[in-house]
Amino acid sequence: QFSHKSKLPFKLAMFVYAMSWRMKECIEGALKLLESAYVHSALMLIRSSLENSSILYYARKVIEEAVVADSLPGDIDDKLMSLLFANKYWEDERGEHDSKYRAMTVKYYIDMMNEEYPGVTRYYHNLCEFVHTNSDGVGQSFSHIDEEHDKTYFGPQLNEDHSLFPAFVITLQLALHIFNKQINYINDHFEEFVKKCDEDILRKGL
């Protein structure tokens, strides 16, 4: 129980706690895959970690806007509800997942985060080249042409000796760093947010 008056703090906490567990699995999974030399598979989780950080960055901006404003923004409930329940199911498949909240593309959050962390969008784009079935994600990741002996070898090509391996690790570290900064901000300002929410309820006489 975060507030006896407003449901907004609970909605925020629910999203942050669930996202923290999601991030924990992504980070730990990526590290285990890297340690086991499954580098390509790890890149999928590294990209997910960056996505996690971007949507938590958005959540932090929502709370920051509320904390510094004289009164709560009128759309804050919709924004928090969207974080919790937005989806992109097809109309004939949504069923129990039916929701009026439609999920934004992850690029929206990545580009927003790039404004404070320049270069994030480029890191994300480069990861996508390996995660998608593009040249780097298929041929460059799982084959090697030996022109000198006119042979082609198949198998994983991404390992600790690969020129981009340090960049992959740095991207994982960057995702965790950004995520932790957003968590710290939300934790540091949570009580202030609760107070602002309660004041809003009293002001409206609800």
Side-chain angles (χ1 to χ4, degrees):
Q1 183 71 45
F2 303 106
S3 169
H4 294 289
K5 298 180 178 65
S6 175
K7 296 179 181 179
L8 296 178
F10 172 75
K11 294 175 182 179
L12 170 63
M14 184 177 177
F15 173 76
V16 172
Y17 290 161
M19 178 55 72
S20 296
W21 277 100
R22 174 185 166 94
M23 187 64 158
K24 177 179 182 293
E25 284 206 6
C26 285
I27 293 292
E28 291 181 352
L31 289 174
K32 289 179 180 179
L33 288 169
L34 288 174
E35 291 169 355
S36 302
Y38 286 92
V39 178
H40 188 269
S41 298
L43 295 183
M44 300 179 189
L45 290 177
I46 293 174
R47 188 180 73 156
S48 291
S49 298
L50 207 54
E51 293 172 350
N52 296 343
S53 296
S54 71
I55 195 168
L56 193 67
Y57 174 83
Y58 170 79
R60 188 215 97 190
K61 297 294 284 186
V62 170
I63 303 313
E64 185 177 31
E65 180 184 6
V67 168
V68 301
D70 293 332
S71 59
L72 288 182
D75 61 352
I76 188 169
D77 185 59
D78 280 341
K79 287 181 176 179
L80 292 177
M81 289 292 285
S82 181
L83 286 172
L84 288 169
F85 298 112
N87 63 61
K88 282 197 171 182
Y89 288 105
W90 288 6
E91 292 296 330
D92 62 342
E93 293 180 338
R94 292 163 73 178
E96 64 180 281
H97 303 290
D98 189 30
S99 172
K100 70 175 184 178
Y101 302 101
R102 303 301 286 161
M104 302 291 290
T105 63
V106 71
K107 188 177 184 301
Y108 172 81
Y109 301 114
I110 291 290
D111 289 344
M112 178 184 290
M113 187 167 66
N114 190 74
E115 295 177 6
E116 186 170 335
Y117 299 94
V120 163
T121 296
R122 180 178 294 275
Y123 273 104
Y124 183 76
H125 173 76
N126 289 341
L127 279 175
C128 289
E129 287 297 315
F130 283 91
V131 172
H132 294 161
T133 53
N134 297 343
S135 174
D136 279 339
V138 183
Q140 300 300 320
S141 291
F142 295 100
S143 66
H144 171 67
I145 299 176
D146 183 349
E147 295 182 356
E148 181 180 353
H149 299 93
D150 197 24
K151 292 183 178 180
T152 300
Y153 299 93
F154 296 96
Q157 300 299 312
L158 303 179
N159 52 50
E160 292 183 357
D161 297 326
H162 194 279
S163 61
L164 290 178
F165 187 85
F168 298 151
V169 175
I170 289 172
T171 304
L172 181 62
Q173 294 172 330
L174 175 65
L176 184 58
H177 171 73
I178 294 175
F179 191 89
N180 285 338
K181 286 201 69 173
Q182 312 320 305
I183 286 289
N184 289 339
Y185 180 91
I186 293 173
N187 286 340
D188 291 344
H189 294 82
F190 190 77
E191 289 186 9
E192 190 177 355
F193 176 64
V194 173
K195 181 180 179 182
K196 185 64 69 73
C197 292
D198 288 348
E199 290 174 349
D200 186 68
I201 292 290
L202 292 173
R203 185 181 300 110
K204 294 176 179 177
L206 300 176

